[in-house]
Amino acid sequence: LRRRTCAAKTRTSIMAKTPLPTFLALALSLPSFTHGFSFHSAAFAPSKHPLSSALSSTAVVASVDATSSNSEDTATKFWKWRGHDIFTEVRTSQNDAETLSSKPAVILLHGFGASTTYWRETMNVLQKEGYDVHALDFIGQGRSSKPFTVEEDSSSMGEASSSPPLYRLYPDVVEDGSEIDATSSVMEMGQNTDTKVEYSINLWANLVDDYARHHQLDEVVLMGNSLGSLVALSAATGDFMNHSNTADRENLPTYLAGNNAGEQSRVAGLCLFNCAVGLNSRNVIKNPNYGPIRRAIINLIFDVFNNLIFDNQFLLRFALNNVVTKELLEDALKSLYMCSPDRVDKELVDSFYYPAKLGGEGAVEAIRQIYTNDAGLTPMEFHERYPEILNSLPLHLVWGLEDVVTPISGDVGTFYCDRVANNRGGKGMTTFDAVSSGHVPFDDNPVTTHGAMMRWLEKKVVK
């Protein structure tokens, strides 16, 4: 065993020392910065959750070092889904067939504003340990298409937009499910389609389910960070099938969650890194301890912010075009990388900066919807609605103790700490590792985090 710890850090509230224009720019280009905002001081300070000391003792695990992957074993492509370009990165293991058959594929699901890039160490480790790894950029995020309708764009600008796109356009005649090589340029972007899309957790879960079906992945582990954790829960339970975004599935049943036709679930396990509370922070009002007056006040605050900022396309567009800079993004990311801010390098900053800058009206529309659309189910509601599924799956939580976005002392962290401490799901199927890191433990403190992840895979998932 090798121990790796991070020096303790004491930081004042990020919001308290950040001017409003800067905070707005960070929120626009890095949605997860305000995603976990909660209305108590613990949201902006290193967590002192009563269970954190006990949990942190479990975080000293076998170290896993990653080496650079062989480019021959890595494929980056745009996969066509509903006419949109979805950026994918696939790492293929070179293990023998017998070893591969015993290990499920892994699908990595990022948080708001992020992309496949920040999974770089995770992909290397999993590939080295014999797993096939699939990382996706959600529609509206990263290098994937960011749809918007020309009519909406024209009305918001006062005239039709005739400026050429700033991304490469791919051939128009490409059937859904086909793939386009994306290796010709490091920051190649998917085409923004003239389509109205309603962003939600379930839309992205639908995408993940279709991806697994198209690539015939028979056994899958879903790993998500922040918002991506909720996408994993929706895909694993099939909850997305209960919503309107499935209208074009032509009555296809769920693929990953199984269905009434007798197909078994293809999900072998869930690993959630610093799980979020919802599509946006409005889900904090679902806290059962909040009374009607407090909920009304919080709702009013959200309404004011949405009306003044996040539902204001002109302001969003101005901020993306004139305020957001690489320097601001670098500072914002370093506030999330509490353990190793030096890991915020050019590659990481560019992966946030260029999708926001080159996404055009599609990026504006995605940000607007993400902050103002219905927040969807909380993790607690997923467990309440689907106990049979989630109590029977190996479910592992890895939580950064210094996270200022989704603190362990928040509603979601408290729920999962209680679930593990009191074996709420039964059978010891839910496990928890607390590590010294911020909101992105797998890239902020990769050695300890991946040690915890691999130990769980080997003990709970791989048969």
Side-chain angles (χ1 to χ4, degrees):
L1 296 181
R2 181 172 63 189
R3 296 171 181 258
R4 180 183 180 187
T5 58
C6 302
K9 299 175 177 67
T10 302
R11 299 190 179 188
T12 58
S13 165
I14 297 171
M15 288 184 69
K17 66 178 183 179
T18 305
L20 181 58
T22 302
F23 176 74
L24 174 60
L26 302 184
L28 295 179
S29 51
L30 185 59
S32 60
F33 182 78
T34 56
H35 178 65
F37 181 79
S38 52
F39 293 84
H40 53 79
S41 59
F44 301 107
S47 170
K48 298 298 181 183
H49 192 279
L51 292 179
S52 63
S53 297
L55 289 169
S56 61
S57 66
T58 69
V60 181
V61 293
S63 303
V64 179
D65 291 320
T67 56
S68 298
S69 62
N70 188 328
S71 60
E72 295 180 356
D73 305 330
T74 302
T76 56
K77 294 182 180 295
F78 285 98
W79 171 62
K80 277 288 183 180
W81 182 70
R82 299 184 180 180
H84 309 295
D85 296 330
I86 305 301
F87 180 76
T88 69
E89 184 169 351
V90 180
R91 301 285 185 92
T92 305
S93 170
Q94 291 301 301
N95 282 6
D96 58 74
E98 182 177 351
T99 302
L100 282 175
S101 65
S102 67
K103 294 186 175 181
V106 177
I107 300 180
L108 302 176
L109 309 172
H110 64 77
F112 271 149
S115 65
T116 63
T117 300
Y118 78 162
W119 292 111
R120 49 197 174 179
E121 294 292 343
T122 308
M123 287 188 281
N124 287 342
V125 167
L126 287 168
Q127 181 184 35
K128 181 181 177 182
E129 294 297 321
Y131 293 86
D132 287 347
V133 190
H134 302 254
L136 316 177
D137 283 358
F138 295 143
I139 184 173
Q141 304 284 284
R143 293 168 62 178
S144 293
S145 297
K146 299 170 182 63
F148 69 98
T149 59
V150 174
E151 291 79 7
E152 289 180 356
D153 179 37
S154 299
S155 61
S156 64
M157 294 293 290
E159 59 182 6
S161 175
S162 59
S163 58
L166 298 176
Y167 39 76
R168 177 182 174 187
L169 295 179
Y170 290 99
D172 293 331
V173 184
V174 182
E175 296 180 359
D176 276 8
S178 61
E179 296 176 340
I180 306 167
D181 185 35
T183 58
S184 58
S185 173
V186 174
M187 291 305 295
E188 208 78 71
M189 300 290 170
Q191 178 181 358
N192 285 9
T193 45
D194 179 9
T195 311
K196 185 174 179 60
V197 169
E198 182 177 349
Y199 290 105
S200 67
I201 297 295
N202 288 303
L203 174 71
W204 291 321
N206 198 337
L207 183 158
V208 172
D209 193 72
D210 286 344
Y211 178 88
R213 184 195 308 275
H214 174 74
H215 291 84
Q216 298 180 338
L217 304 180
D218 290 330
E219 190 178 25
V220 173
V221 171
L222 299 174
M223 296 188 178
N225 171 230
S226 192
L227 173 105
S229 297
L230 294 166
V231 177
L233 288 168
S234 181
T237 59
D239 180 74
F240 65 91
M241 286 296 292
N242 300 322
H243 302 269
S244 60
N245 64 49
T246 60
D248 63 349
R249 286 179 64 91
E250 298 179 352
N251 298 318
L252 284 174
T254 59
Y255 180 78
L256 289 174
N259 55 67
N260 295 330
E263 290 193 29
Q264 298 297 312
S265 171
R266 292 176 170 85
V267 180
L270 298 172
C271 186
L272 313 182
F273 300 92
N274 292 63
C275 183
V277 72
L279 176 68
N280 51 57
S281 298
R282 200 158 196 144
N283 265 357
V284 298
I285 66 172
K286 295 180 179 179
N287 187 318
N289 297 319
Y290 290 177
I293 296 178
R294 189 175 188 181
R295 285 180 179 155
I297 293 173
I298 294 174
N299 259 326
L300 178 61
I301 293 173
F302 276 113
D303 288 341
V304 170
F305 269 91
N306 286 345
N307 290 330
L308 293 179
I309 301 175
F310 298 118
D311 209 16
N312 186 332
Q313 289 184 315
F314 176 81
L315 181 59
L316 297 182
R317 187 182 302 110
F318 176 83
L320 281 179
N321 292 338
N322 301 286
V323 181
V324 174
T325 65
K326 288 187 178 183
E327 291 72 24
L328 281 178
L329 272 176
E330 182 177 357
D331 289 342
L333 288 166
K334 285 183 177 179
S335 73
L336 302 181
Y337 280 59
M338 302 291 283
C339 177
S340 305
D342 56 303
R343 288 189 56 78
V344 179
D345 54 15
K346 182 179 183 298
E347 178 188 31
L348 186 68
V349 172
D350 285 353
S351 73
F352 284 85
Y353 179 81
Y354 285 110
K357 284 290 189 178
L358 304 184
E361 290 302 312
V364 174
E365 178 62 11
I367 292 171
R368 184 191 71 79
Q369 286 199 37
I370 286 167
Y371 276 107
T372 61
N373 282 1
D374 182 83
L377 298 183
T378 65
M380 294 73 82
E381 288 173 317
F382 275 110
H383 282 273
E384 182 179 354
R385 289 193 184 189
Y386 304 101
E388 298 86 359
I389 296 174
L390 295 178
N391 289 349
S392 63
L393 279 177
L395 171 61
H396 189 57
L397 288 301
V398 180
W399 217 283
L401 287 170
E402 289 83 28
D403 186 8
V404 297
V405 179
T406 55
I408 195 172
S409 59
D411 294 346
V412 180
T414 299
F415 168 78
Y416 278 118
C417 285
D418 175 74
R419 181 177 173 85
V420 173
N422 295 292
N423 194 23
R424 300 289 185 193
K427 307 175 186 177
M429 297 297 281
T430 304
T431 50
F432 200 115
D433 274 296
V435 301
S436 183
S437 79
H439 189 58
V440 189
F442 47 87
D443 200 39
D444 184 18
N445 187 356
V447 174
T448 303
T449 299
H450 292 141
M453 176 189 75
M454 291 308 306
R455 181 182 64 178
W456 169 73
L457 282 170
E458 291 164 3
K459 289 187 176 181
K460 295 288 187 177
V461 177
V462 177
K463 305 296 189 293

